Amino acid sequence: MKKALALCVFTVALVGCKSLVEKGHNLFQAGMYTQSAEYYEQALVEDPHNIEAQKGLAQARNKILDKGLIDVRMLRLGGNQTGATLKLESLLRNQVDWQVEPFGPIANTQSEELAYAAQWLQQQAKLLSQSRFPDKFRYFEHSYSFLISNAQLGSQFVEYRIPLQNKAQMQCQQMMSQATEQRFFLRQFAEKYCMSWSLPQAFKSTGKDPTRYSSISLSPDFTVRLHQTSRQANALNTASLAFKQIFRESLWYSPIGQQTFDLAFQAKLEHSRQAKLVNRQKHYTTVEERINPQDPKKTLDVEVKQAYSYPVTEFTEQFSIDAIYNGTLASQSIEFKVDDSQVHYTQSHHADFPQLGISPVQATFLDVETRLDKQLTTLQTHFKTQLDRIWIETHCNGLIGAQYGEYILRCGKIAPQNEFVNSWFKKQFGLAYHEMAALYAL
């Protein structure tokens, strides 16, 4: 529903906040087929048997396909066959995801564009098979897998397999010769690369990586003074576990790491609440009829001052959190501290005297858990940032060109857009890092 509400705000001028199906209809009429499909999908999440939403979604998706195929044709006629083929591949993937079959003019247009795409794919396959980079052909097959399957070109590409595998064999042997015992990332990549090309190699058993850590030793030191609850104290213990999990999910952690990372986590948490009962008064004047002392047979209206007393409980809260972590990672000291404090006053009473503007008041206490969670989250976020920063400084700066790809691979894990990372991959494999990552799950 959050997504639907966001869309409602975005298109309020056009459709207003009507029902999901109504909004879908209005957007469809406005030619906003993708947006209308999103509303129909939301309606079907709420009610999978909504016939109107089912019909609307089918119509919107057909319009998306129709418009997409027109874009394909315009790209092709404009001389951008690569863009046309990529767009057509995307449309075919959508058809499979949506479980729809084109019909009528849409099917005819798609059939025509498939024929042009098949011809282009055959030309590209032949050209790429002659490249010295076998992975360019593999990425080509990966990028256009739906089109290649639809056009039944797989059997035609079999003739390229042996020449491509021979070229991959050269890459495999080169990496094997370079993947010495201390080049752990290169070794892992080489094993994966060779196996994917059906070129299994006998690698020696690996040793321990002295640059990474196989465990974390966390030393918590908490001082907790709370007035009545232990939930905040438990939050500190949970934060300790979070530090460990963040480290284990970082690139610094590895089962073959040789070191233990020592991290100290100190926190001082105080929250007190003092109550004081006080008696308050509010003075007011009333008019009473009394006997006139000058003439007992008559009466006088006399103003009488009175006081309304009522008990009030006054609360004084004091909250403070000081937390810090510190440790040494890859010979670099890391440390970060957060602190927060507040003195808060509130009160409560049950008095109810509308004529004097007095009504019951309920005390509003500090939201200690939210304040504490905010500071601990800041601490943990900074810790993760520090881990990433030091990894980049260690493996992306200065050493990146050393050890034939070892630091390139380490850097690529966290900085895939790094110029040196991509230049090395293009030089070695003819592809950018993200393209190789798509093939080999780097």
Side-chain angles (χ1 to χ4, degrees):
M1 283 302 296
K2 288 183 179 179
K3 183 178 180 182
L5 288 172
L7 283 171
C8 179
V9 172
F10 183 75
T11 58
V12 65
L14 179 64
V15 296
C17 288
K18 301 178 181 178
S19 74
L20 293 171
V21 174
E22 284 181 293
K23 287 183 281 187
H25 289 342
N26 289 337
L27 287 165
F28 183 91
Q29 294 299 322
M32 302 171 69
Y33 306 122
T34 300
Q35 294 89 335
S36 69
E38 291 178 359
Y39 276 110
Y40 293 134
E41 289 169 356
Q42 286 293 322
L44 289 170
V45 168
E46 294 188 357
D47 179 10
H49 305 293
N50 189 316
I51 302 300
E52 285 296 311
Q54 292 174 355
K55 290 181 179 179
L57 182 58
Q59 291 175 339
R61 285 175 170 175
N62 274 309
K63 284 291 187 180
I64 292 171
L65 293 177
D66 187 21
K67 185 176 183 300
L69 287 168
I70 293 174
D71 293 340
V72 170
R73 176 159 292 181
M74 294 305 294
L75 286 168
R76 176 178 59 79
L77 293 175
N80 186 0
Q81 184 62 61
T82 301
T85 310
L86 283 170
K87 179 70 176 180
L88 187 56
E89 172 76 14
S90 175
L91 292 175
L92 290 180
R93 291 178 185 271
N94 285 338
Q95 289 177 29
V96 173
D97 291 341
W98 297 341
Q99 297 181 348
V100 299
E101 285 286 341
F103 60 90
I106 297 178
N108 292 335
T109 301
Q110 179 167 298
S111 180
E112 291 177 14
E113 294 306 320
L114 278 171
Y116 285 109
Q119 184 179 4
W120 182 82
L121 289 169
Q122 289 172 308
Q123 295 171 349
Q124 289 298 112
K126 183 176 181 180
L127 183 65
L128 290 172
S129 70
Q130 299 168 358
S131 169
R132 68 184 183 90
F133 300 116
D135 296 290
K136 294 183 72 172
F137 188 95
R138 172 167 281 188
Y139 187 71
F140 163 79
E141 287 186 304
H142 169 79
S143 301
Y144 302 105
S145 58
F146 277 69
L147 276 171
I148 291 171
S149 174
N150 192 288
Q152 299 181 344
L153 297 176
S155 58
Q156 296 183 32
F157 293 171
V158 170
E159 63 179 287
Y160 304 127
R161 292 284 182 265
I162 294 178
L164 289 168
Q165 192 173 38
N166 290 338
K167 295 173 185 177
Q169 173 74 39
M170 296 173 62
Q171 288 278 22
C172 180
Q173 290 176 344
Q174 183 183 21
M175 283 193 289
M176 279 187 58
S177 66
Q178 299 291 337
T180 58
E181 185 176 348
Q182 297 300 312
R183 296 178 182 177
F184 298 96
F185 279 66
L186 179 61
R187 179 192 181 93
Q188 184 183 47
F189 173 52
E191 290 177 344
K192 189 180 294 186
Y193 184 90
C194 297
M195 288 293 294
S196 68
W197 281 100
S198 301
L199 300 167
Q201 305 293 328
F203 285 88
K204 296 180 181 179
S205 59
T206 186
K208 294 289 185 178
D209 186 350
T211 68
R212 287 184 285 174
Y213 302 78
S214 60
S215 62
I216 174 174
S217 175
L218 192 143
S219 303
D221 181 11
F222 303 148
T223 300
V224 180
R225 297 190 180 93
L226 302 172
H227 78 282
Q228 65 179 15
T229 177
S230 63
R231 284 185 296 178
Q232 290 88 7
N234 291 335
L236 295 177
N237 293 322
T238 301
S240 297
L241 297 176
F243 275 115
K244 291 183 177 181
Q245 187 61 29
I246 291 170
F247 188 78
R248 292 191 184 104
E249 292 174 354
S250 75
L251 292 172
W252 289 105
Y253 172 80
S254 171
I256 62 171
Q258 191 177 63
Q259 304 183 66
T260 296
F261 176 58
D262 295 318
L263 183 70
F265 176 33
Q266 298 173 313
K268 183 178 180 181
L269 173 62
E270 295 187 10
H271 178 218
S272 63
R273 183 184 297 166
Q274 295 178 341
K276 182 174 67 173
L277 186 63
V278 299
N279 192 57
R280 291 188 182 172
Q281 288 186 339
K282 193 157 187 179
H283 296 276
Y284 63 100
T285 301
T286 62
V287 177
E288 296 182 1
E289 187 178 27
R290 294 187 179 182
I291 296 174
N292 187 338
Q294 303 297 327
D295 186 354
K297 294 180 180 181
K298 297 182 181 180
T299 61
L300 295 173
D301 289 335
V302 179
E303 290 186 350
V304 179
K305 292 185 177 180
Q306 297 190 20
Y308 176 72
S309 299
Y310 58 99
V312 175
T313 304
E314 296 180 337
F315 298 93
T316 301
E317 283 188 288
Q318 292 184 324
F319 166 78
S320 67
I321 171 70
D322 290 285
I324 184 172
Y325 73 77
N326 56 73
T328 301
L329 182 69
S331 301
Q332 291 195 44
S333 177
I334 59 172
E335 180 177 300
F336 190 68
K337 179 180 180 180
V338 295
D339 59 80
D340 183 20
S341 64
Q342 183 177 354
V343 177
H344 176 67
Y345 302 96
T346 186
Q347 63 182 15
S348 69
H349 66 77
H350 300 288
D352 191 6
F353 200 148
Q355 293 87 340
L356 296 179
I358 299 173
S359 57
V361 174
Q362 187 173 3
T364 55
F365 297 113
L366 285 175
D367 187 351
V368 174
E369 289 186 45
T370 298
R371 297 179 74 101
L372 177 59
D373 287 344
K374 179 181 179 181
Q375 298 303 321
L376 293 178
T377 299
T378 299
L379 207 65
Q380 293 157 13
T381 300
H382 189 273
F383 179 60
K384 183 181 184 305
T385 301
Q386 289 282 68
L387 296 180
D388 292 346
R389 177 186 62 80
I390 297 176
W391 184 271
I392 290 175
E393 291 180 0
T394 303
H395 301 301
C396 292
N397 301 335
L399 292 172
I400 193 166
Q403 297 193 20
Y404 184 77
E406 174 66 15
Y407 288 94
I408 289 288
L409 286 161
R410 291 184 182 230
C411 178
K413 284 281 188 178
I414 203 167
Q417 301 302 322
N418 184 284
E419 178 184 355
F420 292 102
V421 169
N422 282 289
S423 63
W424 185 84
F425 270 95
K426 288 178 181 178
K427 182 178 179 180
Q428 298 297 324
F429 305 99
L431 297 174
Y433 179 86
H434 76 276
E435 295 170 327
M436 290 292 288
L439 293 177
Y440 302 107
L442 297 180

